[in-house]
Amino acid sequence: MEYRHLGRSGLIISEIAYGNWLTHGSQVEEDAATACVRAALDVGITTFDTADVYAGTRAESVLGRALKGERREGLEIFTKVFWPTGPGHNDRGLSRKHIRESIDNSLSRLQTDYVDLYQAHRFDRFTPLEETMEAFADVVHSGKAHYIGVSEWTADQIRRAHALARELHIPLVSNQPQYSALWRIIEGEVVPACEELGMGQIVFSPIAQGVLTGKYRPGQEPPAGSRATDDKGGASMIGRYMRDELLERVQLLEPLAADTGLTMAQLAVAWVLQNPNVSAAIVGASRPEQVAENAKAAGVRLDAEVMAGIEEALAPVAVTDPKRVQDNVPVQRP
């Protein structure tokens, strides 16, 4: 495993982070989830990402139990707040009330006194940003989180939050966006803003929901049991990729992967790690062997010829419009 600083902060994290969206407490049984966490630790992954909303709060609890007994100082545990975690009208968003209550609930489920990174899971259009950042400052100053991050925020939202964070003397160090060789919307505006501000990207879905593994073939039905056939496994999200034109382009990566001695999944993860603003790529798994295989992308340096080949294959179908960042920002209260 290789390790990088999170942005320009002093926090060092593993290049491959383990995430439990769509798996823990949902798709796989707890024994299998725990086995995946053990596999992550075995290959040197020290960074674990979750959120209070995953599996209706169950994912945090599963991760907390799986990491119980590990040396806390040797781990970086990240979680998030924003999406609904209960039926009440204050069980959501980035109000002071919800943030202050949510951090305590997350810490209880994770069985820890603090998280290393506490992230705003989306931008809240209905709460003053000043209120949100002041609440995050309370969390940091009380010792319940070391650093603050955001997820799927626009460049303008990030700049505004960073300015407030500096005034409040809290470290806003990261953004967590979706990013892959097929979904490149952060490159135009978000990455330049974060580079300027010293913030790093912790990217999710580097394999594009499994599409970049090549298992989805043009003109064929998705494999039985695959994510594209599972409503709980992100079928709605993966739908944007299920076009023959795109799947045909993905197949062009097979010889490139073979020439580099990588699987297509490893090639996809390695590709996002070539971006110097990316601090870590989050991988999920339903089986321990998937963790070990994906972790082999750490430390891989793709040469210019391979990068050019990937660009040639996928550029015609890759999404790059920076305005698409706002696709994931709710226009109504969550």
Side-chain angles (χ1 to χ4, degrees), residues 144-273:
K144 296 177 182 179
H146 291 330
Y147 300 87
I148 297 300
V150 301
S151 178
E152 297 280 38
W153 285 30
T154 67
D156 177 65
Q157 291 161 355
I158 289 170
R159 290 182 187 279
R160 290 166 53 202
H162 193 272
L164 288 169
R166 292 190 65 178
E167 292 178 11
L168 294 164
H169 304 289
I170 56 173
L172 178 61
V173 299
S174 65
N175 176 48
Q176 185 176 133
Q178 181 184 173
Y179 184 52
S180 72
L182 288 171
W183 192 257
R184 300 171 58 174
I185 62 175
I186 62 170
E187 292 178 345
E189 297 178 359
V190 169
V191 165
C194 288
E195 287 177 333
E196 175 189 333
L197 299 172
M199 296 170 60
Q201 310 296 321
I202 308 162
V203 305
F204 70 89
S205 198
I207 309 173
Q209 299 293 294
V211 171
L212 287 170
T213 65
K215 66 183 176 183
Y216 299 107
R217 300 280 178 172
Q220 298 181 18
E221 291 295 316
S226 65
R227 184 165 291 178
T229 64
D230 184 357
D231 289 338
K232 293 189 300 180
S236 59
M237 185 175 178
I238 202 174
R240 63 165 64 118
Y241 301 120
M242 302 304 287
R243 311 190 315 272
D244 281 354
E245 176 197 7
L246 184 148
L247 298 178
E248 288 167 359
R249 286 280 172 178
V250 170
Q251 297 305 311
L252 298 177
L253 301 180
E254 284 189 349
L256 291 174
D259 289 345
T260 56
L262 301 172
T263 66
M264 287 180 64
Q266 291 162 356
L267 182 71
V269 175
W271 184 90
V272 302
L273 290 172

Side-chain angles (χ1 to χ4, degrees), residues 13-315:
I13 63 177
S14 51
E15 277 190 351
I16 308 295
Y18 181 81
N20 69 353
W21 175 50
L22 296 177
T23 52
H24 293 195
S26 176
Q27 281 188 311
V28 300
E29 298 296 331
E30 184 158 345
D31 287 350
T34 300
C36 288
V37 170
R38 304 312 309 175
L41 294 166
D42 288 345
V43 297
I45 292 174
T46 58
T47 306
F48 295 84
D49 180 81
T50 188
D52 56 5
V53 72
Y54 294 167
T57 74
R58 294 187 300 276
E60 283 186 326
S61 297
V62 172
L63 182 62
R65 289 190 289 269
L67 292 174
K68 189 173 183 179
E70 291 296 316
R71 180 175 175 271
R72 180 64 184 87
E73 294 81 358
L75 303 173
E76 304 87 48
I77 299 176
F78 302 168
T79 194
K80 314 180 195 72
V81 57
F82 173 78
W83 295 107
T85 52
H89 45 262
N90 284 310
D91 291 327
R92 62 202 67 210
L94 297 178
S95 69
R96 180 181 184 85
K97 175 178 173 62
H98 187 52
I99 288 173
R100 292 293 299 269
E101 292 171 352
S102 293
I103 186 62
D104 288 339
N105 291 332
S106 287
L107 295 180
S108 176
R109 289 188 289 264
L110 288 164
Q111 300 186 47
T112 182
D113 295 329
Y114 66 94
V115 291
D116 298 276
L117 181 69
Y118 198 39
Q119 303 162 95
H121 210 159
R122 290 294 184 273
F123 185 81
D124 187 349
R125 300 175 186 270
F126 305 98
T127 299
L129 185 57
E130 292 79 5
E131 176 181 337
T132 293
M133 298 309 295
E134 287 169 1
F136 277 131
D138 289 345
V139 171
V140 172
H141 295 153
S142 66
K144 296 177 182 179
H146 291 330
Y147 300 87
I148 297 300
V150 301
S151 178
E152 297 280 38
W153 285 30
T154 67
D156 177 65
Q157 291 161 355
I158 289 170
R159 290 182 187 279
R160 290 166 53 202
H162 193 272
L164 288 169
R166 292 190 65 178
E167 292 178 11
L168 294 164
H169 304 289
I170 56 173
L172 178 61
V173 299
S174 65
N175 176 48
Q176 185 176 133
Q178 181 184 173
Y179 184 52
S180 72
L182 288 171
W183 192 257
R184 300 171 58 174
I185 62 175
I186 62 170
E187 292 178 345
E189 297 178 359
V190 169
V191 165
C194 288
E195 287 177 333
E196 175 189 333
L197 299 172
M199 296 170 60
Q201 310 296 321
I202 308 162
V203 305
F204 70 89
S205 198
I207 309 173
Q209 299 293 294
V211 171
L212 287 170
T213 65
K215 66 183 176 183
Y216 299 107
R217 300 280 178 172
Q220 298 181 18
E221 291 295 316
S226 65
R227 184 165 291 178
T229 64
D230 184 357
D231 289 338
K232 293 189 300 180
S236 59
M237 185 175 178
I238 202 174
R240 63 165 64 118
Y241 301 120
M242 302 304 287
R243 311 190 315 272
D244 281 354
E245 176 197 7
L246 184 148
L247 298 178
E248 288 167 359
R249 286 280 172 178
V250 170
Q251 297 305 311
L252 298 177
L253 301 180
E254 284 189 349
L256 291 174
D259 289 345
T260 56
L262 301 172
T263 66
M264 287 180 64
Q266 291 162 356
L267 182 71
V269 175
W271 184 90
V272 302
L273 290 172
Q274 307 311 295
N275 187 321
N277 191 234
V278 172
S279 298
I282 299 173
V283 302
S286 55
R287 303 188 308 275
E289 56 269 25
Q290 293 174 321
V291 181
E293 283 301 307
N294 289 334
K296 292 177 182 177
V300 171
R301 299 295 175 259
L302 301 176
D303 63 33
E305 184 177 353
V306 172
M307 291 294 286
I310 296 171
E311 180 73 13
E312 181 180 357
L314 299 184

